[in-house]
Amino acid sequence: MLWMILGRDRADSAAARAAARPAHLERLQALHQQGRVVLAGPLPAEPGDSATGMVGSLIVADFADRQSAEAWISADPYCTDQVFELVEVQPFKQVLP
């Protein structure tokens, strides 16, 4: 089943995000190699402007259940290194493509 994981960064997270990013991407890449990622990416503060920083991340991926999705994101460096101040996990129904 697909799950949407929305992580909202804490206000002063830029340095923590940069430090945790390689390990975060490594975990996402492993999930992608398993064929489980539909989409994933950061949420820029301003459209098309990475210089203003990021305000969060969105991941849509296949997990067996909510508990599995929550366990996966809880172990992610963006959670363990306190980049995210809020994480929302919701079922996702893909309509397109």
Side-chain angles (χ1 to χ4, degrees), residues 16-96:
R17 177 179 269 273
R21 188 171 188 265
H24 166 74
L25 291 177
E26 185 177 318
R27 292 184 85 245
L28 269 176
Q29 185 63 26
L31 201 62
H32 176 66
Q33 289 174 345
Q34 295 170 15
R36 296 171 52 195
V37 175
V38 173
L39 63 89
L43 305 173
E46 295 295 329
D49 185 8
S50 61
T52 58
M54 302 301 156
V55 296
S57 297
L58 175 67
I59 301 165
V60 176
D62 184 27
F63 292 96
D65 51 34
R66 180 185 301 273
Q67 183 179 4
S68 299
E70 288 174 347
W72 187 88
I73 194 60
S74 293
D76 189 85
Y78 281 2
C79 280
T80 61
D81 295 356
Q82 299 175 341
V83 174
F84 292 152
E85 69 176 349
L86 176 67
V87 174
E88 181 179 350
V89 176
Q90 291 292 316
F92 182 83
K93 182 179 177 184
Q94 185 174 5
V95 175
L96 292 172

